[in-house]
Amino acid sequence: MDEIKKIENILIRILPSILSILFILILGYIVMNHKLFSVDENELMTLEPIFFSIAFILILISLVLGFNEFKRYFGGIRKETWMFLISIVILGFCLRQFVVPHTHRIFFDEDLYSGIANSIATEGRNILCNYGTPTKCTEGILNKDPSGWPFFLSIFYRIFGSSESLAFSISTSIGTLSILLVFLVSYLLFKNKDKRDEEIALFAALLFALTPAHIIWSGSIATEVPFAFFSLMTILTYLLYFKGGKFYSHLLAASLLAFTVQIRPEGVIFIFPIIFAFLLFERGLLKKLTDYRFWIPWVLFFLLITPHLIHMYIKGQRETWGAPNGKRLGLEYIPHNLSVNTMFWFTGDLHPVFFTILSLIGLFYLLPKGRKIFLFNLVWFLTFFTLFVLFYAGGVDNGGIGFRFINIYFMPVVIIGGYGAFVLGRLLTKFFNGVFKGILFILNWLLKSLENPTINISYNSLKIIKKIFSIFASLMVISSVFISFLFFSDIPYTQFTEGIIWLFDLKPESSLYKELKKAPFHPPMKPYIMNISNSKVLLSKNIRFILVPDKQAQYARDMHDLLVMPNMDSIPENCYVLTHNPSIFLVEGRNSLQTWFGLDDRVMNDVFEKTDCVMWLEGAWCAVDPRFKKGICKSMHDKYKLTIFARHVRKENPKQVFTIYRVYRK
């Protein structure tokens, strides 16, 4: 009987784990066999917004119920620290709102996100509209990318109305708020560490605020900045859970994790650093695995992402994401991607070298003293770094836009960099103290030699000097951060390469000389020259990186920014605009449909019956793609009578002409 009772007790203890894992496996079976459950793309268009809404409701409820946890752990932060943090946030906001150009950087992807957001806001459907009005989509598809970001935009579209300018404002806002989140995450990670957690967190926030890649993409409507924001939110709430052990903190974290993984296609691998965090920080993990309350958030997490997993499973079988021969991941991509993605941190072209040096200092000093913090940040970074090294388009130099992926995983770099900045400040303080002690020793020795022993200057009696040295050291580090960002982002990389050439007396014809002189990225990044009061000021390569958008997508920006948007208000609201990207017009309150419908007499007869205003945007695809130019674009000229409504001729390439036509039947 005793043996039976023991077995019963064991079974009762592990029953929550067994049932939870079984339920998760059933969800996995549903994903793999979704057709058996009549879940197709049309169903997902409706299901996903519902599950997004459930996740957000849970987030809001958990935030309210767990608000005291935030007060408990952050209520003790000093007022001076909050003032410094507010200053950093304001600086970050100004850079993201007023300095970096607000424009599209991924050709037309950002229009698609905004268009889907409009459909979710007006119809409750996750649909990329190919034909419809601003409030009703007649024909559309399920986009290949996840729709977490469009859903978040749709919340604001419902309240304020759809518009591209609102989307830019939201992106800038969450990019700015991410600075605050970096501070809070760093503060919790280093809480009671060296008793300087606030200083470490402030340094991390400053480095984040000045990171060029994040500044640039905060001025777009791409998904990387939102992913960074919600991943920081997720990490923050899990850290609160690890420290306090509250159920509502766990529920909030799981709900945020469910939303975060649905922002990017690779978002689901964010689960790995979270699981690793449990192994590092969760106290009594084995015991909690037998508690049903521990499993509720996890079961809920997998339930909330089930439609998303089906979405990704369907699209993953059909879509190549532009990969050569359909191979998205492969070992053959490693040599190039590993090289450029590593060089990103050390050349100063795209990221200040001094920031990287601070991170290396942080790694070196954190390893023996804060191994758990070191390992967590390392796994967080390597999870995504490794993925993009294997991804065909994962190089930071890919298409002029590959560096956007840095925003997905650079947060642990600046967090460790914040610790490195703190350590550097402390080392400088010790150095100044040592020098001052030496001066005092010599001075006291001289006084004694003058046979005046009553005068004895003690270093311990001058504690104010210690404080002054500490402040001075911190100011030196802060000044170095700003100087690196503004003027010398490539120091000491450039000097290192020149030193190698000088040391080995390399000749211009030698292969090593050519390799060292070769620009790490193409086109080569040059310093930015700013004219101030008739004087030229030479700023860093990073400043050019921020202020001058990459040229590879410039033709798409020209069409959007110089032709379409300036003429949007002139297009009557009853017009139907034929275009290869209806989202541009639908978000701004205009009816639109794909250009290919122009060759469908049934659809066009319906359109001409609805309105006497039909337009066609002969845009980027017609200008740059010979297949479209000789195909559907030529057919539009042949089939209809066209009169010019507005036109833009690119100065850089006058052969690329974008035109909005009025369309009439022949």
Side-chain angles (χ1 to χ4, degrees):
M1 290 293 292
D2 290 340
E3 291 296 323
I4 294 174
K5 284 186 177 180
K6 285 183 180 179
I7 294 172
E8 286 178 351
N9 289 335
I10 292 172
L11 289 174
I12 290 172
R13 283 193 344 221
I14 65 174
L15 188 61
S17 301
I18 293 173
L19 292 177
S20 300
I21 294 172
L22 181 62
F23 184 77
I24 293 170
L25 290 174
I26 291 171
L27 292 176
Y29 176 81
I30 292 173
V31 171
M32 301 293 289
N33 300 275
H34 56 276
K35 292 181 181 178
L36 297 177
F37 301 90
S38 301
V39 179
D40 57 15
E41 293 191 27
N42 288 325
E43 290 293 328
L44 287 173
M45 291 178 189
T46 304
L47 273 177
E48 286 191 289
I50 293 173
F51 277 68
F52 284 138
S53 299
I54 294 171
F56 249 81
I57 290 170
L58 285 172
I59 289 169
L60 293 175
I61 292 173
S62 301
L63 273 172
V64 172
L65 294 175
F67 183 71
N68 285 335
E69 287 295 283
F70 287 88
K71 290 174 61 178
R72 176 184 173 188
Y73 287 101
F74 300 122
I77 296 175
R78 294 173 300 168
K79 290 182 180 179
E80 309 93 90
T81 300
W82 285 117
M83 294 302 296
F84 285 127
L85 178 60
I86 290 171
S87 300
I88 294 171
V89 171
I90 291 173
L91 170 65
F93 171 75
C94 291
L95 290 171
R96 287 157 177 78
Q97 178 65 35
F98 304 115
V99 176
V100 70
H102 284 201
T103 186
H104 291 225
R105 293 177 179 270
I106 320 178
F107 298 92
F108 305 108
D109 290 26
E110 292 153 271
D111 291 310
L112 306 187
Y113 303 141
S114 188
I116 295 168
N118 179 69
S119 295
I120 296 174
T122 56
E123 297 184 70
R125 286 199 298 163
N126 173 26
I127 185 170
L128 176 58
C129 192
N130 287 326
Y131 171 27
T133 69
T135 57
K136 178 65 178 177
C137 185
T138 303
E139 194 275 334
I141 61 171
L142 182 70
N143 191 33
K144 65 183 179 183
D145 291 320
S147 296
W149 173 228
F151 175 82
F152 187 71
L153 285 177
S154 75
I155 297 172
F156 297 91
Y157 282 6
R158 291 188 188 200
I159 299 171
F160 303 105
S162 301
S163 74
E164 182 182 84
S165 59
L166 177 59
F168 277 118
S169 296
I170 295 166
S171 182
T172 299
S173 298
I174 63 175
T176 302
L177 289 174
S178 297
I179 302 169
L180 169 63
L181 293 177
V182 166
F183 171 85
L184 297 177
V185 168
S186 302
Y187 177 78
L188 283 184
L189 277 173
F190 291 100
K191 192 167 176 59
N192 301 323
K193 178 74 180 171
D194 294 315
K195 299 180 181 179
R196 301 293 289 277
D197 38 34
E198 294 178 18
E199 187 176 344
I200 296 169
L202 283 173
F203 275 126
L206 178 62
L207 294 178
F208 186 95
L210 296 179
T211 296
H214 193 267
I215 295 171
I216 290 168
W217 289 95
S218 293
S220 77
I221 316 176
T223 57
E224 290 74 24
V225 167
F227 185 87
F229 173 79
F230 280 100
S231 61
L232 285 166
M233 281 281 289
T234 302
I235 295 293
L236 175 63
T237 50
Y238 269 114
L239 290 175
L240 284 173
Y241 165 69
F242 294 141
K243 288 189 176 292
K246 301 295 184 182
F247 173 77
Y248 290 116
S249 296
H250 195 183
L251 185 64
L252 173 60
S255 302
L256 281 165
L257 179 61
F259 187 78
T260 302
V261 301
Q262 298 181 77
I263 294 174
R264 294 273 317 159
E266 71 284 346
V268 70
I269 69 170
F270 187 50
I271 298 172
F272 295 124
I274 296 300
I275 292 174
F276 189 72
F278 271 87
L279 298 176
L280 290 174
F281 302 121
E282 179 69 300
R283 290 167 292 185
L285 179 60
L286 291 177
K287 184 179 180 180
K288 288 184 178 180
L289 289 175
T290 63
D291 186 353
Y292 76 93
R293 287 170 61 87
F294 174 83
W295 284 99
I296 289 175
W298 280 108
V299 169
L300 189 61
F301 162 73
F302 281 102
L303 179 63
L304 288 172
I305 68 170
T306 297
H308 166 73
L309 294 177
I310 296 173
H311 181 165
M312 291 293 97
Y313 182 75
I314 292 173
K315 294 299 182 180
Q317 291 181 316
R318 301 176 187 174
E319 299 286 347
T320 65
W321 272 267
N325 301 317
K327 192 172 184 181
R328 288 166 288 183
L329 300 173
L331 297 177
E332 62 269 32
Y333 306 129
I334 292 178
H336 175 76
N337 289 349
L338 181 60
S339 173
V340 297
N341 289 6
T342 302
M343 292 299 288
F344 171 88
W345 304 99
F346 295 98
T347 66
D349 283 28
L350 312 180
H351 187 78
V353 180
F354 184 65
F355 290 18
T356 303
I357 292 173
L358 291 176
S359 298
L360 293 175
I361 293 172
L363 282 175
F364 180 79
Y365 280 90
L366 191 59
L367 182 57
K369 294 183 177 181
R371 201 160 295 170
K372 288 185 178 181
I373 302 173
F374 170 87
L375 289 173
F376 170 66
N377 282 283
L378 185 66
V379 169
W380 184 6
F381 174 81
L382 287 178
T383 297
F384 291 100
F385 181 84
T386 304
L387 174 71
F388 288 111
V389 165
L390 294 167
F391 182 48
Y392 87 97
V396 295
D397 62 340
N398 181 266
I401 55 176
F403 70 93
R404 74 187 193 274
F405 297 134
I406 292 294
N407 289 300
I408 294 173
Y409 60 90
F410 85 99
M411 292 80 75
V413 178
V414 297
I415 290 171
I416 298 297
Y419 184 69
F422 161 72
V423 169
L424 180 58
R426 191 166 58 177
L427 291 173
L428 288 171
T429 302
K430 288 182 178 179
F431 172 75
F432 296 145
N433 286 338
V435 171
F436 190 67
K437 283 182 178 179
I439 294 172
L440 285 182
F441 176 80
I442 294 172
L443 186 58
N444 279 322
W445 179 79
L446 289 173
L447 289 172
K448 287 180 180 179
S449 67
L450 294 174
E451 298 182 353
N452 190 7
T454 57
I455 301 176
N456 182 35
I457 302 174
S458 171
Y459 178 72
N460 291 328
S461 65
L462 299 176
K463 291 183 179 180
I464 187 65
I465 299 295
K466 289 184 178 181
K467 185 68 174 176
I468 292 173
F469 284 156
S470 178
I471 294 172
F472 183 66
S474 295
L475 288 175
M476 283 188 66
V477 176
I478 294 170
S479 299
S480 299
V481 167
F482 278 102
I483 291 171
S484 175
F485 173 74
L486 289 171
F487 302 106
F488 305 113
S489 63
D490 58 347
I491 290 179
Y493 175 79
T494 302
Q495 289 67 31
F496 174 78
T497 56
E498 293 293 338
I500 294 294
I501 293 171
W502 174 81
L503 183 64
F504 294 98
D505 193 24
L506 298 176
K507 305 303 180 184
E509 58 271 15
S510 71
S511 58
L512 182 56
Y513 180 94
K514 293 176 182 177
E515 188 65 27
L516 290 171
K517 281 293 187 179
K518 184 175 69 175
F521 303 102
H522 296 278
M525 192 66 63
K526 299 178 181 179
Y528 187 80
I529 300 174
M530 179 176 286
N531 292 313
I532 302 176
S533 300
N534 297 322
S535 299
K536 292 184 178 181
V537 179
L538 191 66
L539 300 177
S540 71
K541 295 178 180 180
N542 285 176
I543 301 301
R544 173 175 289 279
F545 184 43
I546 292 170
L547 294 178
V548 183
D550 188 272
K551 294 294 183 183
Q552 293 197 54
Q554 189 61 47
Y555 69 88
R557 278 193 293 273
D558 286 351
M559 185 205 78
H560 183 278
D561 297 347
L562 302 181
L563 175 67
V564 176
M565 296 309 293
N567 288 285
M568 189 66 73
D569 291 340
S570 301
I571 300 174
E573 292 186 3
N574 69 321
C575 265
Y576 276 77
V577 184
L578 292 148
T579 173
H580 284 102
N581 190 350
S583 295
I584 300 177
F585 296 92
L586 293 170
V587 172
E588 298 299 323
R590 302 301 186 273
N591 312 309
S592 190
L593 64 165
Q594 282 280 355
T595 300
W596 69 64
F597 283 116
L599 307 184
D600 188 326
D601 290 336
R602 180 186 60 83
V603 172
M604 292 307 295
N605 287 335
D606 180 56
V607 169
F608 278 115
E609 286 178 9
K610 291 177 181 177
T611 182
D612 59 354
C613 180
V614 179
M615 293 186 176
W616 172 44
L617 170 60
E618 186 178 30
W621 292 112
C622 294
V624 302
D625 193 323
R627 296 171 301 168
F628 285 91
K629 190 171 185 177
K630 296 177 181 178
I632 191 170
C633 303
K634 182 178 183 300
S635 298
M636 287 294 294
H637 281 276
D638 295 340
K639 188 175 178 66
Y640 299 100
K641 177 184 176 183
L642 306 174
T643 61
I644 297 174
F645 178 79
R647 171 168 283 178
H648 174 74
V649 180
R650 296 196 68 218
K651 293 181 180 179
E652 294 180 10
N653 187 351
K655 292 183 179 180
Q656 293 180 348
V657 180
F658 309 129
T659 309
I660 300 175
Y661 293 102
R662 284 294 298 261
V663 179
Y664 302 95
R665 288 170 165 166
K666 281 189 175 179

